[in-house]
Amino acid sequence: MAPLSLPLNLKWTPSNVKAIAPATTTGKVPEVPLPEKIRNSRILVLGGTGRVGGSTATALSNLCPDLQILVAGRNREKGEALTAKLGGNSEFACVDIDDVNSLETALKSVDLVVHAAGPFQQAERCSVLEAAINTKTAYLDVCDDTSYAWRAKSLMNMALDANVPAITTGGIYPGVSNVMAAELVRAASESEDKPERLRFYYYTAGTGGAGPTILATSFMLLGEEVVAYNKGEKIRMRPYSGMLNVDFGKGIGKRDVYLLNLPEVSSAHKILGVPSVSARFGTSPFFWNWGMEAMTKLLPSEFLRDRNKVQSLVQLFDPAVRAMDGISGERVSMRVDLECASGRNTVGIFSHRRLSVSVGIATAAFALAILEGSTQPGVWFPEETQGIPIEAREILLNRASQGTFNFIMNRSPWMVETNPKEFGLGIYL
């Protein structure tokens, strides 16, 4: 499927990315002009009554008011409350993703399905993707689980045969962070440098206001052994170990981050060809990090991989987490670092005041790319050019970064330090 003519036609070089306008607290973003033939497309948002799905539906409605948004979930009251806010081009549908007939019936009337009905951990099948392929419906998910993502990739031939374009791990992180990494690697390769080490660093204040599903996801990730790569070798480590203190730049500063098993590590290693890749995550207040680390030591991994037991933990901790979120806020920041053989290091940073808003804008950016024809038939990770081609990356990153207070790409590390030290003659350490 050839990409359609897109509204922005600047030549993409990461060093040209500038800081975006200050964030708004409403999540309102500039409208995106879509080609006539896709302007009234119908999009089904599964998990639409949750924080991530609801944020995505809101962002799509704000970006493209003519889109027909079908908010799907199990809570009719919450769904109808959201559609009332979105306006006349939205409606609620009760869809059970565990019921194939319910799924396929809903999918037959839409052009794209956005799967935000997590958690994805410990899911035995990619039932939504299978249903999308069976009904020839374009597909996007916000998966943050390594096993699920590669299980989705295993359906490549089915998607190709059905001529269905699909992207897995297409949210904020993983998702936007993958595209940032791909652009850093591309810029280095075009300079005839060899990428050697890629590191993903993520920070959110509290849960980022993202809801109990994200809390469940965090707990379940603590039950997974961390996979990273060092000089081409796969290495396994204990989750929430290997603490580093990382500077996320203005508005965030230095934060402690810990190893987690995230899908962008394996996809970036295999697709971008970087020998050493790892991912770390941290939160605040600091005692949440201590608590997460303690859980990996005190609770058996089998307990943390059990969905029912984790849901019990979520019900126990959720009131305290919600109360603390009200104090800590929900800032989010991503830092992607690339080290090359020449000694050249480059960094990309993406920071927003509200994760609950930013995650929807990021997911909507992927949804629009698929609608515009950027994604080829098959199942792709965001960093694959068949999923988001090089010429479409600038558009996606510009859309996804709406409302950020700090978005930079392809800078030297000293340029993003909170308080860089100048030693004269333009030399910084």
Side-chain angles (χ1 to χ4, degrees), residues 204-248:
T204 66
T207 63
T213 297
I214 298 300
L215 189 59
T217 294
S218 301
F219 288 162
M220 294 176 81
L221 282 171
L222 296 179
E224 295 184 10
E225 192 175 42
V226 172
V227 172
Y229 294 87
N230 184 39
K231 298 180 180 179
E233 283 190 36
K234 181 186 287 188
I235 55 176
R236 298 180 183 275
M237 293 168 285
R238 182 172 59 82
Y240 236 69
S241 61
M243 187 270 284
L244 292 177
N245 188 248
V246 174
D247 196 330
F248 287 89

Side-chain angles (χ1 to χ4, degrees), residues 20-26 172 203-205 208-209 250-252 325 328-333 350-358 401-406:
I20 303 297
T24 66
T25 57
T26 63
I172 185 169
Y203 163 78
T204 66
K250 67 178 183 180
I252 303 292
D325 277 359
S328 63
E330 52 175 287
R331 292 194 176 206
V332 60
S333 187
F350 176 115
S351 299
H352 196 286
R353 287 183 175 84
R354 297 185 63 190
L355 173 60
S356 62
V357 171
S358 187
S401 61
Q402 292 296 314
T404 54
F405 61 83
N406 192 23

Side-chain angles (χ1 to χ4, degrees), residues 51-126:
R51 297 289 182 94
V52 176
S55 177
T56 300
T58 300
L60 284 167
S61 180
N62 287 339
L63 285 164
C64 306
D66 291 331
L67 289 174
Q68 309 294 307
I69 311 296
L70 191 61
V71 175
R74 296 176 180 176
N75 189 320
R76 178 172 294 277
E77 183 179 353
K78 288 178 66 176
E80 291 181 346
L82 175 60
T83 56
K85 292 179 181 179
L86 297 183
N89 282 345
S90 65
E91 59 183 297
F92 173 76
C94 189
V95 178
D96 183 354
I97 65 170
D98 297 320
D99 183 332
V100 174
N101 292 330
S102 173
L103 253 183
E104 293 194 356
T105 299
L107 290 173
K108 286 176 182 177
S109 66
V110 300
D111 302 294
L112 168 69
V113 57
V114 179
H115 181 11
F120 293 87
Q121 284 71 21
Q122 305 304 313
E124 295 180 357
R125 295 179 59 187
C126 299

